[in-house]
Coordinates of all heavy atoms in Angstrom, one line a residue:
V1 N 65.5 339.9 105.4 CA 65.7 339.9 104.0 C 67.0 339.1 103.6 O 66.9 338.3 102.7 CB 65.8 341.3 103.5 CG1 66.2 341.4 102.0 CG2 64.5 342.0 103.6
V2 N 68.0 339.3 104.3 CA 69.3 338.5 104.1 C 69.0 337.0 104.2 O 69.5 336.2 103.4 CB 70.4 339.0 105.0 CG1 71.6 338.1 104.9 CG2 70.8 340.4 104.6
G3 N 68.3 336.6 105.3 CA 68.0 335.2 105.4 C 67.2 334.7 104.3 O 67.4 333.5 103.8
A4 N 66.2 335.4 103.8 CA 65.4 335.0 102.7 C 66.2 334.9 101.4 O 66.0 333.9 100.7 CB 64.2 336.0 102.5
V5 N 67.1 335.8 101.2 CA 67.9 335.8 100.0 C 68.8 334.6 100.0 O 69.0 333.8 99.0 CB 68.6 337.1 99.8 CG1 69.7 337.0 98.7 CG2 67.6 338.2 99.5
I6 N 69.5 334.4 101.1 CA 70.4 333.2 101.2 C 69.7 331.9 101.1 O 70.1 331.0 100.4 CB 71.2 333.3 102.6 CG1 72.1 334.5 102.6 CG2 72.0 332.0 102.8 CD1 72.8 334.7 103.9
G7 N 68.5 331.8 101.7 CA 67.7 330.7 101.6 C 67.2 330.4 100.2 O 67.2 329.3 99.7
L8 N 66.9 331.5 99.5 CA 66.4 331.4 98.1 C 67.6 330.9 97.2 O 67.4 330.0 96.3 CB 65.9 332.7 97.6 CG 65.4 332.7 96.2 CD1 64.2 331.8 96.0 CD2 65.0 334.1 95.8
I9 N 68.8 331.3 97.5 CA 69.9 330.9 96.7 C 70.2 329.4 97.0 O 70.4 328.6 96.0 CB 71.2 331.7 97.0 CG1 71.0 333.1 96.5 CG2 72.5 331.0 96.5 CD1 72.1 334.1 97.0
G10 N 70.1 329.0 98.2 CA 70.3 327.5 98.6 C 69.2 326.7 97.9 O 69.4 325.6 97.4
L11 N 68.0 327.2 97.9 CA 66.8 326.5 97.3 C 67.0 326.3 95.8 O 66.8 325.3 95.3 CB 65.5 327.3 97.6 CG 64.3 326.8 96.9 CD1 63.9 325.4 97.4 CD2 63.1 327.8 97.2
L12 N 67.4 327.4 95.2 CA 67.6 327.3 93.7 C 68.7 326.4 93.3 O 68.6 325.5 92.4 CB 67.9 328.7 93.1 CG 66.7 329.7 93.2 CD1 67.2 331.1 92.7 CD2 65.6 329.2 92.3
V13 N 69.9 326.5 94.0 CA 71.0 325.6 93.7 C 70.6 324.1 94.0 O 70.9 323.2 93.2 CB 72.3 326.0 94.5 CG1 73.4 325.0 94.3 CG2 72.7 327.4 94.0
S14 N 70.0 323.9 95.1 CA 69.5 322.5 95.4 C 68.5 322.0 94.4 O 68.6 320.8 94.0 CB 68.9 322.5 96.8 OG 68.6 321.2 97.2
S15 N 67.6 322.8 94.0 CA 66.6 322.4 93.0 C 67.3 322.1 91.6 O 66.9 321.1 91.0 CB 65.6 323.5 92.8 OG 64.9 323.7 93.9
I16 N 68.3 322.9 91.3 CA 69.0 322.6 90.0 C 69.8 321.3 90.1 O 69.7 320.4 89.2 CB 70.0 323.7 89.7 CG1 69.2 325.0 89.3 CG2 71.0 323.4 88.6 CD1 70.0 326.3 89.2
L17 N 70.4 321.0 91.3 CA 71.2 319.8 91.5 C 70.2 318.6 91.5 O 70.5 317.5 90.9 CB 72.0 319.8 92.7 CG 73.2 320.7 92.7 CD1 73.8 320.7 94.1 CD2 74.2 320.2 91.7
L18 N 69.1 318.7 92.1 CA 68.1 317.7 92.1 C 67.6 317.3 90.7 O 67.5 316.2 90.3 CB 66.9 318.0 93.1 CG 65.8 317.0 93.2 CD1 66.3 315.7 93.8 CD2 64.7 317.6 94.1
A19 N 67.3 318.4 90.0 CA 66.8 318.2 88.6 C 67.8 317.5 87.7 O 67.6 316.6 87.0 CB 66.4 319.5 88.0
A20 N 69.1 317.9 87.9 CA 70.2 317.3 87.1 C 70.4 315.9 87.5 O 70.6 315.0 86.7 CB 71.5 318.1 87.3
G21 N 70.3 315.6 88.8 CA 70.5 314.2 89.3 C 69.4 313.3 88.8 O 69.7 312.2 88.3
L22 N 68.2 313.8 88.8 CA 67.0 313.0 88.4 C 67.1 312.8 86.9 O 66.8 311.7 86.4 CB 65.7 313.6 88.7 CG 65.4 313.6 90.2 CD1 64.1 314.4 90.5 CD2 65.2 312.2 90.7
T23 N 67.5 313.8 86.1 CA 67.7 313.6 84.7 C 68.8 312.6 84.4 O 68.6 311.7 83.5 CB 68.1 315.0 84.1 OG1 67.0 315.9 84.3 CG2 68.3 314.8 82.6
F24 N 69.9 312.7 85.1 CA 71.0 311.7 84.9 C 70.5 310.3 85.3 O 70.8 309.3 84.5 CB 72.2 312.1 85.7 CG 73.3 311.1 85.6 CD1 74.1 311.0 84.5 CD2 73.6 310.2 86.7 CE1 75.1 310.1 84.4 CE2 74.6 309.3 86.6 CZ 75.3 309.2 85.5
L25 N 69.8 310.1 86.4 CA 69.4 308.8 86.8 C 68.4 308.2 85.9 O 68.3 307.0 85.8 CB 68.9 308.8 88.2 CG 69.9 309.1 89.3 CD1 69.2 309.2 90.7 CD2 70.9 308.0 89.4
N26 N 67.6 309.0 85.2 CA 66.7 308.5 84.2 C 67.2 308.4 82.8 O 66.5 308.1 81.9 CB 65.4 309.4 84.2 CG 64.6 309.3 85.4 OD1 64.5 308.2 86.0 ND2 64.0 310.4 85.9
S27 N 68.5 308.6 82.7 CA 69.2 308.5 81.3 C 69.3 307.0 80.9 O 69.3 306.1 81.7 CB 70.5 309.2 81.3 OG 71.4 308.5 82.1
D28 N 69.5 306.8 79.6 CA 69.8 305.5 79.1 C 71.1 304.9 79.6 O 71.2 303.7 79.9 CB 69.8 305.5 77.6 CG 68.4 305.9 77.0 OD1 67.4 305.6 77.6 OD2 68.4 306.4 75.8
E29 N 72.1 305.8 79.8 CA 73.4 305.3 80.3 C 73.3 304.8 81.7 O 73.8 303.7 82.0 CB 74.4 306.4 80.2 CG 74.8 306.9 78.8 CD 73.9 307.9 78.2 OE1 72.9 308.4 78.9 OE2 74.1 308.3 77.1
A30 N 72.6 305.5 82.5 CA 72.4 305.0 83.9 C 71.6 303.7 84.0 O 71.9 302.8 84.8 CB 71.8 306.1 84.8
E31 N 70.6 303.6 83.2 CA 69.8 302.4 83.1 C 70.6 301.2 82.6 O 70.5 300.1 83.2 CB 68.6 302.6 82.2 CG 67.6 301.5 82.3 CD 66.4 301.7 81.4 OE1 65.9 302.9 81.4 OE2 65.8 300.8 80.9
S32 N 71.4 301.5 81.6 CA 72.3 300.4 81.0 C 73.3 300.0 82.1 O 73.5 298.7 82.2 CB 73.0 300.9 79.8 OG 73.9 300.0 79.3
Y33 N 73.9 300.9 82.8 CA 74.9 300.6 83.9 C 74.2 299.7 85.0 O 74.8 298.7 85.4 CB 75.5 301.8 84.4 CG 76.4 301.6 85.6 CD1 77.6 301.0 85.4 CD2 76.0 301.9 86.9 CE1 78.5 300.8 86.5 CE2 76.8 301.6 88.0 CZ 78.0 301.1 87.8 OH 78.9 300.8 88.9
S34 N 73.0 300.1 85.4 CA 72.3 299.4 86.4 C 72.0 298.0 86.0 O 72.2 297.0 86.8 CB 71.0 300.2 86.7 OG 70.3 299.5 87.7
E35 N 71.6 297.8 84.8 CA 71.3 296.4 84.3 C 72.6 295.6 84.2 O 72.6 294.4 84.5 CB 70.6 296.5 82.9 CG 69.2 297.0 83.0 CD 68.6 297.1 81.6 OE1 69.2 296.7 80.6 OE2 67.5 297.7 81.5
C36 N 73.7 296.2 83.8 CA 74.9 295.6 83.6 C 75.4 295.1 85.0 O 75.8 293.9 85.2 CB 76.0 296.5 83.0 SG 77.6 295.7 82.8
V37 N 75.3 295.9 86.0 CA 75.8 295.6 87.4 C 74.9 294.5 87.9 O 75.4 293.6 88.6 CB 75.8 296.8 88.3 CG1 76.1 296.4 89.7 CG2 76.9 297.8 87.8
E38 N 73.6 294.6 87.6 CA 72.7 293.6 88.2 C 73.0 292.2 87.6 O 72.8 291.2 88.3 CB 71.2 294.0 87.8 CG 70.1 293.2 88.4 CD 68.8 293.7 88.0 OE1 68.5 294.9 88.3 OE2 68.0 293.0 87.5
H39 N 73.4 292.1 86.4 CA 73.7 290.8 85.8 C 75.2 290.4 85.8 O 75.6 289.4 85.3 CB 73.2 290.8 84.3 CG 71.7 290.9 84.2 ND1 71.1 292.1 83.9 CD2 70.7 290.1 84.4 CE1 69.8 292.0 83.9 NE2 69.5 290.7 84.2
A40 N 76.0 291.2 86.5 CA 77.4 290.9 86.6 C 77.7 289.7 87.4 O 77.0 289.6 88.5 CB 78.2 292.1 87.1
G41 N 78.6 288.9 87.0 CA 78.9 287.7 87.8 C 79.9 287.9 88.9 O 79.9 287.2 89.8
G42 N 80.8 288.8 88.7 CA 81.9 289.0 89.7 C 82.4 290.4 89.6 O 81.9 291.3 89.0
K43 N 83.5 290.6 90.4 CA 84.2 291.9 90.5 C 84.7 292.4 89.1 O 84.5 293.6 88.7 CB 85.3 291.8 91.5 CG 86.0 293.2 91.7 CD 87.1 293.1 92.7 CE 87.8 294.4 92.8 NZ 88.8 294.4 93.8
S44 N 85.3 291.5 88.3 CA 85.8 291.9 87.0 C 84.6 292.4 86.1 O 84.8 293.3 85.3 CB 86.6 290.8 86.4 OG 85.8 289.7 86.1
D45 N 83.5 291.7 86.2 CA 82.3 292.1 85.3 C 81.8 293.4 85.8 O 81.5 294.3 84.9 CB 81.2 291.0 85.5 CG 81.5 289.7 84.8 OD1 82.5 289.7 83.9 OD2 80.9 288.7 85.1
R46 N 81.8 293.7 87.1 CA 81.3 295.0 87.6 C 82.3 296.1 87.1 O 81.9 297.2 86.8 CB 81.1 295.0 89.1 CG 79.9 294.2 89.5 CD 79.6 294.4 91.0 NE 80.6 293.9 91.9 CZ 80.7 292.7 92.3 NH1 79.8 291.8 91.9 NH2 81.7 292.3 93.1
E47 N 83.6 295.8 87.2 CA 84.6 296.8 86.7 C 84.4 297.1 85.2 O 84.5 298.2 84.8 CB 86.0 296.3 87.0 CG 86.4 296.3 88.5 CD 87.7 295.7 88.8 OE1 88.4 295.2 87.8 OE2 88.1 295.7 89.9

């Protein structure tokens, strides 16, 4: 029972982090940053 409860807690926290990460990566800000870096000419543009 203790193993199942600890595993469930790890599963829930990991699922929440995964959902938050996917939400963030699919945001307009992340997409805009990705496009900006892709078209950057040098280090100062990436900064």
Side-chain angles (χ1 to χ4, degrees):
V1 170
V2 169
V5 169
I6 293 172
L8 183 62
I9 291 169
L11 172 65
L12 291 175
V13 173
S14 185
S15 298
I16 291 168
L17 286 176
L18 180 62
L22 290 175
T23 300
F24 176 74
L25 290 175
N26 289 328
S27 69
D28 292 335
E29 292 84 5
E31 186 177 326
S32 175
Y33 174 74
S34 177
E35 288 176 10
C36 182
V37 169
E38 188 176 305
H39 295 100
K43 182 178 179 180
S44 63
D45 290 342
R46 287 190 297 274
E47 288 174 358

